[in-house]
Structure formats: structure tokens, C-alpha cells
Amino acid sequence: MAAVTMDKIVSLCKRRGFIFQSSEIYGGLNGAYDYGPLGVELKNNIRDFWWKEMTQMHDNIVGIDASILMASKVWEASGHVSNFSDPMVDCKQCKSRFRADQIDLNAPCPVCGNKDSFTEPRNFNLMFETHIGANRDASSVVYLRPETAQGIYVNFKNVVASSRVKVPFGIAQIGKSFRNEITTKNFIFRSCEFEQMEMQFFVKPGEDEKWFPYWREQRMAFYDKMGIKKDHLKWHQHGSDELAFYAKDAYDIQFLFPMGWQELEGVHSRTDYDLTQHTKFCGKKQDYLDPVTNERYIPYVVETSAGLTRNVLMALCDAYEEEEIDGDTRTVLHFHPAIAPVEVAILPLVKKDGIAEMAQDLEKELRADFKTFYDQSGAIGRRYRRMDEIGTPYCITLDYDTKENDTVTLRFRDSMEQVRVAKKDLVKTIKEATKNYKRK
RNA sequence: GCGAAAGUAGCUCAGUGGUAGAGCUCCACCUUGCCAAGGUGGAUGUCGCGGGUUCAAGUCCCGUCUUUCGCUCCA
């Protein structure tokens, strides 16, 4: 079985309506993508799967949804204004580019040896800038957030005061972030506009040692629940030279994308860095009063930060398979049923003798419980293949026997096995199958 | 931002200056009684965009946008 290439993913995404290039009719916009009818379902399903797992399934995590535009001071405090940009110089002779802080600007170019060859250092700030108000003076500059985490930190006191949460507790958030990347590549893997699923877990200083491995284990288990292949995932621990200035320890979950192992999610120990910074910059103590011991401290933070849009790409790459069947190729997306854009397809074996009408009625009945799709066009095998290609886990076929005894054929995507099920048992049977789903 | 290559139907591509094409897909009807490609008919393009050369440009030239690969970058 050949490894999937990005070309095939991009092609399938466009062909079947998962993901399109932004502004395509105008020649496209670099690093921006639009989600089509199936793509938005997939993305929303992954988002909801994460949200349920992180909030509903934990009694000590609450959610927020902070605004994308925030006070500029937030980014001064977080270090993004000063650290999120790199002054760069180019060699005028050989066009090589260097970071201005990593090279002696008075020395000859290390590549071509040319002297007095560098351009003036130019700043590449990775934050998008815009203005609030019609009057574009310096005081109105705001940034589109480059990460969602700060929206959580600046609401720490609000959440503590309003939600009766006690340390240890977490705040979860899903939303868009923006980075003015110098280059974008690999489809939606790195784009200027992306969505993050973040959770900041606030703990008593010292207890981060305990919670850090806990969340690493939880987060890896999440991908197993989503049906992602175990051998497509691995941990990468940041070496001391890779650690961000705020981080005490950092692990990435990497996924084996077509272009190699790449970061999918970070689990980072951020200590009290951010809350301390905001204390300094806003002048108000961002601390926590333990209601039992009356101790006052700034909590430490264990952060789980996943890319939703990267998760979408992962789900597509992980699910994609081309299987050889009798000299024919079957393209299948083996999505976990919980994230599949279409859960159940209803297919009449023939159109005549009232079978199609019967199938349409059944489709309407099942809508309340599943995302359904009705298709009466073409041979039955062809319709199965179409559903395989968009990852529909269950197909229901109605035939003449359905008229006699109210049973239908339930066909499973992965095994292609078929079972005869009474119409009245369909919802229960399908929900049971989803609950017990195991990726082969 | 640098270098190279590419951009023609929804997809994969052919078309080296002279009427815009193929296969698949898609739609309708027929056939089909459970795993694609059977029959009949049909739809689809300012050949990425803008300019130039020419009697004539998908084709040659310039610019531009986008994509891919390699740099650079990505705390």
C-alpha cells in the first residue's frame, strides 16, 4: 500500500468539496483556504470531539471564547511584540538571507565572501496589524492574535471570580489565530489564518511536575479515541536549545504527514511566566487565593495547544487509503464515525416499485440522529465507492425484501461487510457500532 | 524574499503560430437485485490574469498572481 501523497489529498479535497484555495477565481490567495461542504463538517466534528473531550469529560475545565482583537499591551506583556519578529538581512551579491542577530554584519558574507554586501536589517513581525477606528494614527494599532492562549490568561481572574473553579482547573478555548508567515506551504499545514484548540491548566506551583505527564498521557489518548493510527504519532521533546523563553519543559505530538514528521500539538509547561508578565504590565495581581489554606500564589500553567486545521489535515492523511480489490482501486477515507462528514447514506437498490420513496422516507426519519445523505443515482457498487471516498461509515440499502419484512442491508465501510437489520433497530445498531469502532 | 519549474473542462492531461481536445467525473433516461468503468443523450472553458509581437497567440516576448521543489523563515 503506497504512502499517501499530499497531491492526492489536495486533489480529493477539491474534487469532493473538503477544501478549496481561497479566492480561487481571482487567482488565489497565498496561504489561505476555504472549507467546503464536507470540509466544514469534518472540521466542526473534530472541534466538537475535542471540546467534549476537554470540557464535558472533565469536571474541572471550563470554556471561554475571547475576541481576536485584544489590547496591544497584551502582546507586549506576552513578549510577542519583541520576540515574535526577527530582523533579517540579505546578501546583495548572492541573495542569501540571514538573521541579523546571528551574523556579524561587518564581516564578509559567509556564503559568497562578498564584503559590505548586506542590506539594512528588515523586521519581519509575524503579527498581523490593523487599526481600530477610522483614524489611522499610531495609538489605534491593534494586532490579530497570534495565539489564543493570551485570551485565556487575561481572563484568568474573571473565570475564577465567576465560575467557582478551584485550582487545579483548566480553561479551554477554540478559535482562529493569525501569523504573517514568511512562507506558507504544505497545503493547510501552515497557513496565515488557522484555528487552535487550547487548554491552559492552572495548578499550584510544584504540582506542574505531576500534571505535565498527566496531560501528555491524556492528549495522546485523545488521538487514539479519534481512531488515528498509533504508528503515525510520536512524541518529540524539545531540547534545551529548542525551548521557548517561557517554557520549563515542552513536548510535541508529531504526526507522520506525507512530508514527514511534523508538529500537531504541543504540551508545554509554561510556569507562571504569562500571569506574572500580565501582573507586571497591567499592575493588577493575577494570583489565586486558595480558599482552604488561604495561601496566595500565581499558579503554574500546563498548556495543551493543538491546531484544529492541522488536525483536519491529519485526519485526512491518516484516513486515506487506496485498496486493491479485484484489479480495481478503492479509495477510502477511514474516518472515525464520530468525525465523518456524512455518517449514514441511504441507497435504494432500485428506483422503481416504491423502493426509492421508501428510502427517502427512511432518510428523513434518520436525520434526527445522524448526518445523512440520499443517493439513488447509478449502480449500487458505484454509490458505495462514492461514499467510501468521502469516508461515510454506514450505507443502508433498501430492496424488495424491505417491503416484505421491514429489514434493510447495513453495509460497513471498512470491512465492506453487510448485515440485515430491522428498520426499527437501525439507530441503536449504528450507534452501537460507532461506540465500538476500532480502526483496523 | 531568492532560485527553478508549472498553470488548458470538476479531475488527470494532450495540443510547438491557423476552427478548443481526450479519458474520467457530472446530469437525465434505460439497464442493473449488493460493491466502479453497460446503453442512449447532454452540460462544462475569456487556455491563471494583464500587456506586447503578428494577418492570426493556448503556442512567441514582458509583467503579474498562484502552485510545486530547493533555500530562507517558522520563539
Side-chain angles (χ1 to χ4, degrees):
Chain A
M1 197 173 304
V4 61
T5 61
M6 196 62 93
D7 283 352
K8 289 196 168 171
I9 298 292
V10 173
S11 173
L12 175 66
C13 281
K14 178 163 188 200
R15 197 169 66 246
R16 302 309 306 265
F18 282 92
I19 297 164
F20 309 118
Q21 166 111 58
S22 167
S23 315
E24 195 183 345
I25 62 168
Y26 289 103
L29 179 66
N30 191 6
Y33 295 91
D34 297 339
Y35 288 77
L38 294 180
V40 68
E41 296 292 343
L42 175 62
K43 180 156 74 76
N44 287 350
N45 288 345
I46 294 173
R47 179 196 69 191
D48 295 345
F49 195 74
W50 184 92
W51 190 258
K52 180 178 180 183
E53 172 71 18
M54 295 301 276
T55 62
Q56 195 172 327
M57 301 305 286
H58 287 89
D59 56 10
N60 54 352
I61 298 182
V62 294
I64 65 161
D65 184 18
S67 66
I68 287 170
L69 299 173
M70 303 175 72
S72 296
K73 278 266 186 185
V74 170
W75 308 113
E76 291 173 33
S78 69
H80 284 84
V81 171
S82 54
N83 287 315
F84 212 56
S85 63
D86 300 305
M88 309 286 297
V89 295
D90 294 331
C91 172
K92 291 172 189 166
Q93 179 79 18
C94 67
K95 309 294 186 191
S96 300
R97 171 166 290 175
F98 307 95
R99 275 174 62 163
D101 58 345
Q102 289 181 350
I103 193 169
D104 182 354
L105 296 178
N106 297 314
C109 172
V111 173
C112 66
N114 205 44
K115 286 180 184 170
D116 299 324
S117 180
F118 296 113
T119 59
E120 287 301 303
R122 283 179 296 174
N123 233 12
F124 290 82
N125 195 301
L126 295 179
M127 282 193 290
F128 279 99
E129 229 176 81
T130 188
H131 298 78
I132 285 191
N135 188 8
R136 295 203 155 199
D137 58 37
S139 64
S140 67
V141 166
V142 289
Y143 300 103
L144 305 191
R145 66 183 176 198
E147 64 172 31
T148 52
Q150 297 303 324
I152 292 176
Y153 296 129
V154 301
N155 279 296
F156 172 73
K157 293 291 270 186
N158 282 338
V159 172
V160 169
S162 61
S163 309
R164 305 184 60 217
V165 288
K166 290 193 193 118
V167 167
F169 75 95
I171 302 177
Q173 174 171 224
I174 297 173
K176 291 206 170 183
S177 294
F178 302 82
R179 291 185 194 178
N180 207 347
E181 307 283 0
I182 292 167
T183 56
T184 52
K185 59 161 61 175
N186 290 321
F187 199 32
I188 59 171
F189 180 78
R190 172 173 289 124
S191 50
C192 295
E193 176 179 341
F194 58 103
E195 283 184 77
Q196 293 185 294
M197 307 186 287
E198 293 202 318
M199 193 279 297
Q200 313 290 325
F201 200 72
F202 299 91
V203 304
K204 191 174 177 180
E207 294 196 353
D208 51 310
E209 308 275 351
K210 179 181 90 189
W211 287 104
F212 188 57
Y214 169 82
W215 280 110
R216 272 171 32 215
E217 186 269 323
Q218 287 283 303
R219 291 310 305 155
M220 190 57 101
F222 170 81
Y223 292 105
D224 190 44
K225 285 180 197 166
M226 213 203 285
I228 304 303
K229 279 185 175 171
K230 277 195 167 70
D231 57 359
H232 285 175
L233 294 161
K234 73 172 187 187
W235 282 108
H236 168 76
Q237 183 179 18
H238 288 215
S240 54
D241 55 331
E242 287 176 290
L243 280 181
F245 54 86
Y246 57 74
K248 178 174 170 183
D249 201 356
Y251 282 76
D252 290 340
I253 296 175
Q254 295 188 332
F255 176 77
L256 187 55
F257 287 97
M259 64 283 190
W261 290 99
Q262 296 285 344
E263 181 187 347
L264 182 70
E265 163 161 3
V267 180
H268 298 169
S269 180
R270 290 178 77 133
T271 69
D272 58 357
Y273 176 81
D274 296 277
L275 289 177
T276 302
Q277 283 296 106
H278 287 302
T279 297
K280 280 183 205 160
F281 276 74
C282 76
K284 305 174 189 84
K285 275 201 164 171
Q286 302 298 304
D287 62 358
Y288 176 76
L289 176 62
D290 188 307
V292 179
T293 64
N294 276 335
E295 276 180 283
R296 197 174 271 281
Y297 56 84
I298 293 182
Y300 272 33
V301 168
V302 175
E303 167 193 67
T304 72
S305 174
L308 172 54
T309 31
R310 281 185 187 184
N311 262 260
V312 171
L313 185 59
M314 170 197 69
L316 286 162
C317 295
D318 185 70
Y320 189 98
E321 272 180 22
E322 289 176 1
E323 300 170 0
E324 297 300 324
I325 298 171
D326 300 330
D328 170 41
T329 304
R330 181 175 87 122
T331 302
V332 193
L333 292 177
H334 293 281
F335 290 138
H336 190 289
I339 64 169
V342 175
E343 289 173 277
V344 179
I346 295 89
L347 318 168
L349 191 61
V350 293
K351 276 177 268 189
K352 57 192 175 189
D353 299 326
I355 310 269
E357 289 74 14
M358 208 163 55
Q360 285 160 9
D361 289 343
L362 178 62
E363 190 269 333
K364 287 193 181 78
E365 269 178 51
L366 292 175
R367 281 180 193 175
D369 291 285
F370 306 106
K371 290 188 189 95
T372 56
F373 184 79
Y374 175 80
D375 188 4
Q376 63 173 36
S377 159
I380 188 66
R382 180 185 210 63
R383 282 179 271 165
Y384 283 147
R385 295 299 166 85
R386 281 202 282 245
M387 288 299 107
D388 290 339
E389 199 181 23
I390 64 168
T392 306
Y394 310 110
C395 290
I396 295 168
T397 307
L398 294 83
D399 55 21
Y400 287 104
D401 291 341
T402 311
K403 287 173 89 170
E404 302 296 320
N405 58 17
D406 264 348
T407 62
V408 299
T409 302
L410 178 61
R411 180 259 196 187
F412 298 94
R413 175 197 64 202
D414 292 359
S415 63
M416 297 169 71
E417 281 168 7
Q418 305 183 127
V419 295
R420 202 72 195 179
V421 181
K423 257 205 244 175
K424 62 178 171 56
D425 295 330
L426 268 175
V427 173
K428 196 183 80 182
T429 305
I430 292 172
K431 289 198 166 164
E432 197 72 15
T434 293
K435 199 174 161 189
N436 298 327
Y437 180 82
K438 280 273 178 291
R439 175 72 186 272
K440 64 172 174 148

